[in-house]
Amino acid sequence: MRRLLVAAVISVAGMTAAVPATVSAQAAGPCVTLEYIALLVRADSALAGVPPQPPAALVAITQAEDIAPSSSAELGPIIALLTTSPPEVTTSRQRIEVLVTTLALPGGSACNVDSRAAENALRQVYSSSVFADLDQNQPPSLLERIGAALNWLLSHLFGLLGSGGSILLGLLVLGAIAALVIYRLRGVVGGRRALGPGEPATAGDDPEREWQLALRAAQRGDYREAIRRAFRSALLDVADHRAHLDRAWTTREMLATLSADAELLAVVAPAAGSFDRAWYGRAPVGSDDWEVARARCEAVRRVSRRVTGARQA
């Protein structure tokens, strides 16, 4: 039934709106990504008009779904909102803006006929350890495995050695474990210092102040510091409005914690990637990197605040 309604609305839009009703296969072929983003922008512009044009926006969203069928999970709810009576314009625009901001490309991006290299690079990103096994339980740590082995050993030796012998053996094993832990911690700390400086300690928990510091750093050309401050501001907004975050967590642990909130995870993951590349990478950080990171961090701040507002309402 919904498909019939969509077809009817598209037919009306084809007669009344200025938006083309079809997208040529030649345009969508080698330029799927750029065409997909352009259709989202076209839909947003149609809804931002005075008066809004939901039929024209529906045409663009449906065309975007046709050239990228894998995006139906994101575009399906928008199509449902635009086919209600009356169409839900505000919520549709919010969802479209989140998608456009998340998919923002660096300045100067162009269409390449041969996209195999880019596709291979994207597969490597999603197969990296940062995104691996987000829905799986974390394997037991070294200390947990050692503790389980120690418990098994003591339970089996207690009957053979008696209480006194078992206590003495336990103390010896604990001493060996403590020495091993100290040795490993010294190696980890030394390795981090050898690789480069870690993130400096930062006082305060005001996301707006961090955002202003990020803008000032970008104005003076310190884009690496600007990206760090912008990402910190975004995480403070998430912690204030949406989810508990621990500063000691790694990027993987943070993404695993947010995996239950698909909408929030969709904007936090790209922002975390920009921060990791800028702060821990060895490549120079330029103005293009800052603009991409800024857009992604703004999306995190907007989504975290909007979700909270919807819950309070």
Side-chain angles (χ1 to χ4, degrees), residues 6 34 60 90 106 159 162 177 207 223 241 284 301-302 310:
V6 172
L34 296 180
T90 302
I177 293 174
Y223 299 114
H241 301 293
R301 301 179 71 205
R302 182 167 59 253

Side-chain angles (χ1 to χ4, degrees), residues 36-48 52-62 64 71 74-82 88-104 263 267 299 302-303 306:
Y36 183 82
I37 296 175
L39 287 170
L40 294 181
V41 173
R42 185 182 303 170
D44 185 58
S45 300
L47 295 178
Q53 299 180 10
L58 182 59
V59 171
I61 293 297
T62 306
S71 65
E74 293 78 18
L75 300 184
I78 300 177
I79 293 177
L81 291 172
L82 292 175
E88 184 60 44
V89 175
T90 302
T91 306
S92 299
R93 281 205 67 195
Q94 291 174 346
R95 289 180 175 269
I96 294 173
E97 288 174 356
V98 169
L99 291 175
V100 172
T101 303
T102 303
L103 298 175
E263 186 175 22
V267 291
R302 182 167 59 253
V303 169
R306 179 170 59 80

Side-chain angles (χ1 to χ4, degrees), residues 80-143:
L81 291 172
L82 292 175
T83 53
T84 58
S85 181
E88 184 60 44
V89 175
T90 302
T91 306
S92 299
R93 281 205 67 195
Q94 291 174 346
R95 289 180 175 269
I96 294 173
E97 288 174 356
V98 169
L99 291 175
V100 172
T101 303
T102 303
L103 298 175
L105 298 175
S109 298
C111 176
N112 296 322
V113 175
D114 187 1
S115 61
R116 287 175 295 180
E119 292 174 355
N120 291 335
L122 184 60
R123 292 192 188 97
Q124 292 176 3
V125 169
Y126 282 105
S127 63
S128 65
S129 59
V130 174
F131 294 94
D133 302 326
L134 286 179
D135 58 343
Q136 302 296 324
N137 294 328
Q138 296 296 322
S141 65
L142 175 63
L143 292 180

